[in-house]
């Protein structure tokens, strides 16, 4: 992959501000610049950023309907009504259900949980799920990470004498369901100060409000914060404000005293003994929790997450690990097939988006394939498969393009749709797929900017190797947890050379293990360039090149630094910085 590097040198005024803030905080001016770009311009604000405090969490009762939701939950428990905690089958939904169920189970026994089958029931509230609730005597359903568009289904439940409390974070539609309470910070009539909570985060705020109302110490909630960290990382919500506080303390919990179920997944992933970061959740823990919902039923993941016995949890973790291996095989095959279709489509390079469909693709994996195609081609992508007379699609987007709005523009063709800026799902009649493709692509063509379909790498600063020391690395760690709106900083060093020991590695010789020196010092720096073995010949030619990279821990050498190389390009090429 060759990116267009984008670097904006600081103005003289910005440089002065960076020096002043850097001196106050005793950090490198480059890092002071990172703070300023995040809107952090004072010493107190920097301290709050580096040391997020649970005391700074927002009052949950500022969320619209929170008082109504707590009152209804209190009434249900007071009347000993049966409660059902219902959630989506992805990581966010499963962790949200596990969090709410585990907390309420401490105080109340007449409670159960439910995850719909992706294959039998589809996304969100299903009539089958409501019928199950009716058959088991449920009077109150708490639904998490979905439900904001379930107008017909919640009306059906109401006729059966079942109330709903909706805890969602997706974009609302014009009509809201007739639930007793709707907790969703994205409601247009909600003045809650932070709009970007994940579904598990909304569930946590509900439990925080319930605890506050009932005099339960906040400390009883802290053991559940690991679920919040997993959800925030996996659902790719902005890691700022309240999400940053929850993720920071959730990671702390995950690293010191994780719940039994998550500890079993950590063991299965081979992550024992390591300090876990958001990336470990995204690439290791999250996919395994997702796998049961993709391959079988997401309830198996919740069964694991609420398990109390470690031996039983380990058995359940092994099962979802097997699902994940199956998912990988199907994912690889479907991605290869999708790439072949893209290659065959005449004039594909002239389209600003990709819409692919195949009636044999597995519904549980189309979202992953859409993500891979978006990363590969840098265009909004929709991948669709057949489900009887209907079609199910999953969409992913590129930087700053609202794919939800693009799908909404085709709503007259859709039976159902939902999501947010970067990811969405949809259902339509199979016969309308070709028409949807035409309309979706026309909308994207009209609204997307050319630079949004370019592989751009934003450079945060230019360093010499002598700048990369333990002090810099220690300060960079304080910026974690990383994620959307707080990305891991990317640096550039120019005119670097192979030290003579760089080599191609990996099962398929696809990576490069690098030892480099720059032109300004004799410092030797280690690096790894994943999937970039095509650059090895140039590197070994002893000509100079420029590298863009993040600074990481070397897990094999204590206290050592390693560069993760994002891109390599010959120095003699004129910079394409803008």
């Amino acid at each position: 992959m060759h990116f267009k590097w984008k670097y904006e040198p600081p103005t003289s005024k910005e440089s002065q501000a960076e020096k002043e803030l850097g001196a106050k905080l005793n950090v490198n001016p480059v890092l002071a610049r990172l703070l300023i770009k995040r809107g952090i311009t004072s010493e107190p604000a920097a301290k709050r950023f580096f040391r997020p405090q649970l005391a700074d969490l927002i009052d949950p009762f500022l969320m619209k309907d929170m008082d109504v939701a707590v009152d209804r939950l209190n009434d249900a428990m007071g009347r000993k009504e049966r409660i059902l905690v219902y959630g989506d089958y992805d990581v966010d939904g499963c962790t949200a259900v596990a969090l709410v169920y585990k907390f309420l189970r401490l105080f109340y026994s007449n409670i159960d949980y439910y995850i719909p089958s992706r294959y039998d029931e589809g996304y969100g509230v299903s009539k089958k799920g409501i019928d199950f609730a009716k058959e088991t005597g449920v009077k109150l359903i708490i639904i998490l990470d979905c439900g904001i568009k379930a107008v017909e289904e919640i009306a059906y439940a109401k006729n059966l004498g079942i109330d709903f409390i909706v805890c969602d974070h997706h974009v609302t539609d014009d009509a809201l369901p007739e639930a007793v309470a709707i907790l969703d910070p994205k409601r247009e009539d909600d003045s809650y100060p932070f709009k970007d909570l994940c579904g598990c985060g909304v569930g946590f705020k509900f439990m925080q409000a319930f605890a506050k109302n009932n005099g339960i110490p906040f400390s009883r909630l802290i053991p559940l914060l690991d679920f919040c960290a997993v959800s925030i990382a996996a659902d790719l919500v902005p890691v700022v404000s309240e999400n940053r506080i929850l993720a920071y303390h959730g990671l702390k919990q995950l690293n010191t005293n994780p719940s039994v179920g998550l500890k079993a997944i950590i063991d299965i992933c081979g992550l024992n003994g390591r300090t876990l970061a958001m990336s470990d959740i995204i690439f290791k823990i999250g996919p395994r929790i997702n796998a049961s919902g993709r391959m079988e039923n997401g309830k198996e993941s919740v069964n694991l997450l609420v398990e109390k016995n470690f031996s039983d949890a380990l058995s359940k973790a092994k099962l979802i690990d097997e699902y994940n291996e199956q998912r990988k095989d199907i994912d690889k095959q479907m991605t290869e097939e999708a790439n072949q279709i893209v290659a065959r489509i005449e004039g594909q390079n002239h389209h600003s988006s990709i819409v692919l469909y195949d009636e044999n693709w597995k519904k549980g994996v189309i979202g992953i394939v859409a993500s891979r195609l978006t990363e590969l081609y840098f265009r909004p992508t929709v991948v669709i498969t057949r489900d009887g007379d209907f079609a199910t699609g999953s969409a992913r987007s590129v930087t700053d393009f609202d794919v939800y709005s693009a799908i909404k523009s085709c709503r007259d063709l859709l039976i159902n749709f939902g999501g947010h800026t970067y990811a969405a799902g949809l259902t339509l009649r199979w016969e309308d797929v070709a028409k949807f493709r035409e309309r979706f692509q026309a909308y994207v063509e009209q609204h997307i900017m050319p630079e949004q379909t370019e592989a751009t790498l934003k450079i945060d600063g230019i360093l010499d190797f002598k700048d990369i020391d333990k002090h810099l690395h220690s300060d960079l760690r304080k910026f974690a947890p990383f994620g959307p709106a707080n990305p891991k900083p990317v640096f550039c060093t120019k005119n670097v050379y192979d030290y003579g020991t760089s080599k191609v590695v990996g099962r398929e010789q696809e990576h490069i293990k690098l030892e480099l020196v720059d032109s300004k010092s004799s410092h030797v720096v280690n690096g790894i360039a994943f999937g970039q073995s095509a650059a090895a010949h140039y590197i070994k030619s002893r000509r100079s090149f420029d590298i863009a990279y993040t600074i990481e821990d070397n897990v094999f050498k204590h206290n050592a630094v390693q560069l993760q190389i994002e891109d390599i390009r010959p120095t003699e090429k004129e910079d394409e910085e803008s």
Side-chain angles (χ1 to χ4, degrees), residues 239-468:
V239 187
V240 296
S241 184
E242 197 158 38
N243 281 343
R244 179 171 173 82
I245 298 171
L246 294 171
Y248 179 91
H249 289 278
L251 277 174
K252 188 176 176 182
Q253 186 71 25
L254 194 66
N255 278 296
T256 56
N257 189 23
S259 64
V260 170
L262 288 175
K263 176 70 170 67
I265 300 174
I266 290 166
D267 275 26
I268 289 295
C269 292
L271 294 172
N272 258 335
R274 279 180 50 182
T275 300
L276 302 178
M278 299 291 267
S279 56
D280 295 305
I281 297 171
I282 293 168
F283 296 113
K284 299 283 187 179
I285 297 171
R288 284 165 173 80
I289 296 173
N290 254 335
S292 66
R294 293 189 186 283
M295 305 306 296
E296 294 293 335
N297 191 300
K299 191 170 184 180
E300 294 181 65
S301 286
V302 181
N303 292 342
L304 167 60
L305 294 175
V306 301
E307 180 57 63
K308 297 176 183 177
N309 179 280
F310 184 70
S311 177
D312 290 342
L314 210 52
S315 297
K316 289 172 177 157
K318 287 175 182 175
L319 180 60
I320 69 168
D321 191 54
E322 289 172 14
Y323 288 151
N324 194 49
E325 290 304 312
Q326 295 169 22
R327 187 272 307 166
K328 284 181 185 176
D329 292 339
I330 294 170
D331 162 16
K332 184 178 180 182
Q333 179 187 338
M334 283 173 53
T335 302
E336 287 173 358
E337 291 173 2
N339 278 321
Q340 289 169 9
I341 295 170
V342 172
R344 284 200 307 267
I345 296 174
E346 187 177 355
Q348 179 66 55
N349 289 333
H350 301 295
H351 288 303
S352 298
S353 63
I354 296 171
V355 180
L356 302 180
Y357 45 94
D358 187 301
E359 60 183 39
N360 297 314
W361 283 341
K362 191 170 180 69
K363 186 159 65 167
V365 185
I366 55 174
I368 298 175
V369 176
S371 293
R372 298 204 192 289
L373 295 176
T374 303
E375 290 166 7
L376 186 60
Y377 297 103
F378 288 90
R379 298 173 206 158
T381 298
V382 185
V383 177
I384 298 171
T385 189
R386 188 166 188 164
D387 186 6
D389 293 332
F390 301 100
T392 298
S394 194
R396 298 294 183 271
S397 195
V398 294
T399 303
D400 296 333
F401 183 79
D402 188 349
V403 75
Y404 177 85
S405 293
I407 289 170
K408 188 176 180 180
S409 73
C410 309
R411 67 180 305 160
D412 57 301
L413 298 174
L414 305 177
I415 295 166
N416 195 10
F417 70 100
H420 44 80
T421 302
Y422 291 111
L426 59 143
T427 305
L428 68 163
R429 287 178 292 275
W430 181 255
E431 63 193 42
D432 289 335
V433 169
K435 196 180 295 183
F436 167 80
R437 176 184 180 179
E438 182 181 326
R439 290 261 300 277
F440 178 85
Q441 291 190 323
Y443 179 95
V444 176
E445 195 76 39
Q446 191 173 359
H447 291 85
I448 202 164
M449 303 297 289
E451 58 268 23
Q452 289 176 299
T453 60
E454 294 177 335
T456 302
L457 192 61
K458 186 178 179 183
I459 307 295
D460 290 291
I462 297 175
L463 301 177
D464 297 328
F465 282 169
K466 63 180 172 56
D467 299 323
I468 304 172

Side-chain angles (χ1 to χ4, degrees), residues 7-8 65 83 184 242-243 285 333 392 559:
Y7 175 64
E8 297 174 356
D65 277 4
I83 299 170
D184 187 336
E242 197 158 38
N243 281 343
I285 297 171
Q333 179 187 338
T392 298
N559 281 336

